[in-house]
Amino acid sequence: MAEFTGFPLWGPQFYDELERHNDREFWAAHKAQWERDVRDPMRALVAALETEFGPATVFRPHRDLRFSPDKSPYKTHQGAIVGPAPGFGYYVGLDADGLIVGGGFRTHSTAQTDRFRKAVDADDGDILPAIVGALVGQGYALDAASLKTQPRGYPADHPRIDLLRRKELMAITNIGTPPWLPTAAALDHVREMWRQIRPLAQWVITNVGTD
């Protein structure tokens, strides 16, 4: 595995064009450079972080079209996640806007959402609100599917109702294309952000489970 040296700025430019030309001809014409300037740097990045955070799954570029009315064949981002199961743990991605870093969980079942809400309800020490508040204070946004009203079985005046409305919970920060993105320093920046995310990642893995 080659050493991580940064994400070339060609990557965000490529995804900006892919959003307008999402077809096999455009992909074929740029595949070799995508491998060199997007896929391989992503693989090198997560490999460099593996000792501290664990092995990653680097997502394939092809979209799953089986149940989607949108038949665009390619994803307009390159992502990777580190965790014990799909949707859990630490996330890093690259798209037309640049670098994205975050973590938490995307629900894959109603059982996961149910366990999440039960854990939030039982969180008398306000552990999760403190974790989330710290991340928001550091510039992360909470990105998750949620209800407009309280979920069934929980009162509207519950002290943690904002969290209970959520079906899943991700903290995300859109970094963009800072001067360090195409340099080896990007590794240190992502590592530090994942360390900030660690309390949330550990909380959801412990309390929500991964099945």
Side-chain angles (χ1 to χ4, degrees):
M1 177 73 65
E3 183 177 352
F4 177 74
T5 58
F7 286 106
L9 295 181
W10 179 87
Q13 296 167 3
F14 164 74
Y15 282 118
D16 181 63
E17 293 185 44
L18 184 62
E19 290 178 355
R20 300 190 299 273
H21 307 287
N22 198 322
D23 56 55
R24 288 173 176 82
E25 291 75 19
F26 180 84
W27 181 265
H30 296 84
K31 181 180 178 182
Q33 190 167 0
W34 170 81
E35 291 175 344
R36 183 176 65 250
D37 288 354
V38 177
R39 184 198 65 184
D40 291 350
M42 183 64 75
R43 289 177 173 177
L45 173 69
V46 295
L49 295 167
E50 182 173 343
T51 300
E52 181 172 351
F53 296 95
T57 298
V58 177
F59 301 144
R60 297 179 59 195
H62 302 87
R63 297 180 63 246
D64 184 350
L65 306 180
R66 291 173 297 173
F67 308 108
S68 175
D70 178 4
K71 299 305 179 182
S72 302
Y74 303 104
K75 297 173 183 175
T76 54
H77 64 279
Q78 175 62 61
I81 195 162
V82 174
F88 279 78
Y90 307 88
Y91 177 79
V92 60
L94 191 74
D95 66 9
D97 294 324
L99 188 69
I100 308 161
V101 179
F105 87 105
R106 295 288 189 193
T107 188
H108 284 69
S109 71
T110 56
Q112 289 175 347
T113 297
D114 289 344
R115 288 194 295 268
F116 168 70
R117 287 175 174 155
K118 288 177 181 177
V120 171
D121 182 42
D123 188 7
D124 294 334
D126 282 342
I127 296 172
L128 183 60
I131 292 172
V132 168
L135 288 170
V136 170
Q138 291 168 320
Y140 294 84
L142 300 185
D143 180 47
S146 61
L147 302 174
K148 293 182 179 180
T149 60
Q150 74 271 20
R152 183 177 300 176
Y154 297 97
D157 60 352
H158 193 288
R160 292 174 291 281
I161 191 61
D162 287 344
L163 288 170
L164 286 170
R165 289 194 184 105
R166 299 182 182 276
K167 300 178 181 180
E168 55 191 10
L169 184 60
M170 289 286 290
I172 296 288
T173 182
N174 295 297
I175 307 300
T177 56
W180 48 258
L181 183 63
T183 75
L187 171 63
D188 295 326
H189 285 275
V190 175
R191 179 187 289 113
E192 180 56 32
M193 285 181 277
W194 277 7
R195 287 174 176 171
Q196 293 172 343
I197 289 287
R198 181 177 281 135
L200 176 60
Q202 292 178 334
W203 189 95
V204 297
I205 290 168
T206 299
N207 290 281
V208 180
T210 57
D211 58 323

